[in-house]
Amino acid sequence: MVWEELSAARVVPSLEASTMEEVMEGLGTVMIDRGYAKDTYVDALVERERAFPTGLDINGVGVAIPHTDVSHVIKEGMAIGKLNKPVRFTLMGTDDETTDVSLVFMLSVKDPQGHLVQLQRILEIIQDNEVLKRLMSCDNAAAIIDVIKEKEQSL
Amino acid sequence: MSKKVIVACGGAVATSTIAANKVQELGKANGIPIEICQCRISEIPSNLDEAVLIVTTGKCKRDFGVPLVTGMPFISGVGVEKTERAILDVLNAS
């Protein structure tokens, strides 16, 4: 399950950032420091986000799922960042529409086929507007992990 | 004979894997054999041979001469049914 692999060390309940690049820097550094990604990860995330944005508008809640090429990844994982204030991201599939993102689910994907179930679970969490709202009201990492755990156990 | 569907995203990593699985399941549920070709959007031109449909989860404004359906709803969960109908319409017509 997703929550079992999520350690509090990769959940940032109050990420300070005012641009997409700062979000990548802040959360990407966590992934690098914890051994999930290589030093090139942050730059690769930014470059990838500019070319292929990952902002999503889930019925009014702005979410982003930044990720990048497997060559910058060491192992499969995810970091979650709850932003202190919304940051503008471009909507996936567009180059001119934006969404104000409050929650960031940063993925390090190494073997997509092998982790299809995990990827699908992450999307089921992200697609649930109620879960997103509850995540937005969490003020610490343990609470965020609990909400995800509860959602997964209901699947 | 199975129908070739190209499923593409920016890096052929996360989102196209999800979309490819959804398209495969959709085919199965409707008795349409599908051969998935998962690639990057930049690799679409070299994979067009015999393709009847392209599903992308990234921006793609080029016309490849093959019907293109956006697979973003598979990622956001918003508008999935409409997307599934659009995909089935193309598959049934091909």
Side-chain angles (χ1 to χ4, degrees):
Chain A
M1 296 234 193
V2 173
W3 71 270
E4 290 171 308
E5 289 181 27
L6 256 185
S7 98
R10 280 179 285 121
V11 178
V12 184
S14 58
L15 187 64
E16 189 58 46
S18 45
T19 62
M20 175 275 279
E21 289 81 0
E22 286 176 19
V23 170
M24 300 308 188
E25 177 80 37
L27 210 49
T29 303
V30 170
M31 293 295 268
I32 295 169
D33 288 348
R34 305 288 159 187
Y36 283 81
K38 299 176 188 171
D39 290 344
T40 53
Y41 186 61
V42 170
D43 287 342
L45 283 171
V46 170
E47 197 182 317
R48 174 66 190 272
E49 190 69 29
R50 285 182 183 144
F52 296 100
T54 68
L56 298 167
D57 178 348
I58 313 287
N59 297 311
V61 181
V63 171
I65 52 167
H67 55 278
T68 191
D69 197 77
V70 296
S71 62
H72 306 283
V73 171
I74 295 170
K75 60 179 174 177
E76 214 75 34
M78 174 167 72
I80 298 179
K82 188 173 150 255
L83 306 185
N84 282 343
K85 53 179 188 301
V87 171
R88 190 149 288 186
F89 274 67
T90 305
L91 274 179
M92 190 183 286
T94 76
D95 47 21
D96 48 7
E97 293 171 52
T98 59
T99 178
D100 289 329
V101 167
S102 302
L103 291 166
V104 178
F105 298 80
M106 181 175 280
L107 311 175
S108 59
V109 183
K110 189 81 188 162
D111 170 22
Q113 293 299 340
H115 288 78
L116 182 61
V117 172
Q118 199 81 341
L119 279 173
Q120 284 171 331
R121 277 177 179 279
I122 291 169
L123 283 186
E124 287 198 66
I125 294 163
I126 292 169
Q127 292 174 358
D128 187 329
N129 192 265
E130 284 306 308
V131 168
L132 295 180
K133 283 183 181 154
R134 287 181 60 200
L135 289 175
M136 304 245 292
S137 68
C138 292
D139 59 4
N140 64 74
I144 288 174
I145 295 174
D146 272 349
V147 170
I148 291 173
K149 176 180 176 180
E150 206 178 298
K151 166 68 180 174
E152 284 195 275
Q153 287 174 339
S154 75
L155 290 176
Chain B
M1 209 183 102
S2 58
K3 300 181 180 186
K4 178 174 166 183
V5 178
I6 297 175
V7 183
C9 66
V13 183
T15 57
S16 61
T17 304
I18 296 284
N21 187 57
K22 295 280 184 190
V23 173
Q24 191 70 265
E25 280 176 2
L26 190 64
K28 245 179 230 166
N30 291 276
I32 306 168
I34 289 172
E35 177 204 337
I36 298 278
C37 167
Q38 192 183 341
C39 65
R40 293 166 194 259
I41 286 173
S42 59
E43 295 165 346
I44 291 176
S46 55
N47 286 299
L48 283 173
D49 194 32
E50 293 188 347
V52 300
L53 169 67
I54 301 169
V55 177
T56 63
T57 54
K59 68 183 174 204
C60 183
K61 286 178 178 161
R62 263 186 72 182
D63 183 357
F64 296 102
V66 172
L68 190 147
V69 173
T70 168
M72 245 75 73
F74 292 134
I75 310 304
S76 67
V78 181
V80 174
E81 275 181 35
K82 198 176 155 203
T83 303
E84 289 184 341
R85 269 201 307 276
I87 289 173
L88 284 174
D89 284 348
V90 173
L91 291 176
N92 286 324
S94 67

